[in-house]
Amino acid sequence: MNIVIISGTIVSNINFKFIYNRYRKKSKYTSIASFYIELENASIIKIYGYDNMADFMYKNCKFGNKVICDGIIDNDGNVAIKEAEKLEH
């Protein structure tokens, strides 16, 4: 995995889910939020975060907001966010 810092505009609604699987051991995480972001070069990538970051994303991010995110690229080319900040216009 690689560290990445990206900036762009949210181009989808925020998808928030609770994680629960009664047949497996307790999950490391309890919630996940995800959305798609359009970068400066018109690329669109999926962004996701767990627990506290998922709460921040769900409460503070909306379609059309500009954000800057710090995270890691996973094996599928998506970005797992560790820190994020909404940029003011």
Side-chain angles (χ1 to χ4, degrees), residues 68-80:
I68 186 165
C69 305
D70 174 18
I72 54 174
I73 300 173
D74 67 12
N75 294 335
D76 297 326
N78 302 325
V79 178

Side-chain angles (χ1 to χ4, degrees), residues 76-87:
D76 297 326
N78 302 325
V79 178
I81 297 301
K82 302 297 179 192
E83 293 183 39
E85 185 174 327
K86 187 171 85 170
L87 300 175

Side-chain angles (χ1 to χ4, degrees), residues 25-41:
K25 294 188 330 184
K26 185 176 178 185
S27 177
K28 181 176 173 182
Y29 304 108
T30 57
S31 61
I32 184 171
S34 63
F35 58 83
Y36 289 89
I37 187 172
E38 183 176 5
L39 305 178
E40 299 283 328
N41 65 357

Side-chain angles (χ1 to χ4, degrees), residues 17-25 27 29-31:
K17 294 181 182 179
F18 287 101
I19 302 170
Y20 176 74
N21 186 346
R22 71 181 192 167
Y23 298 108
R24 281 190 4 201
K25 294 188 330 184
S27 177
Y29 304 108
T30 57
S31 61

Side-chain angles (χ1 to χ4, degrees), residues 47-89:
I47 303 291
Y48 63 94
Y50 295 107
D51 296 335
N52 291 336
M53 184 50 57
D55 292 340
F56 172 83
M57 291 164 60
Y58 185 71
K59 290 178 185 175
N60 299 308
C61 299
K62 294 186 181 1
F63 181 89
N65 287 147
K66 293 195 180 287
V67 293
I68 186 165
C69 305
D70 174 18
I72 54 174
I73 300 173
D74 67 12
N75 294 335
D76 297 326
N78 302 325
V79 178
I81 297 301
K82 302 297 179 192
E83 293 183 39
E85 185 174 327
K86 187 171 85 170
L87 300 175
E88 300 297 326
H89 291 53

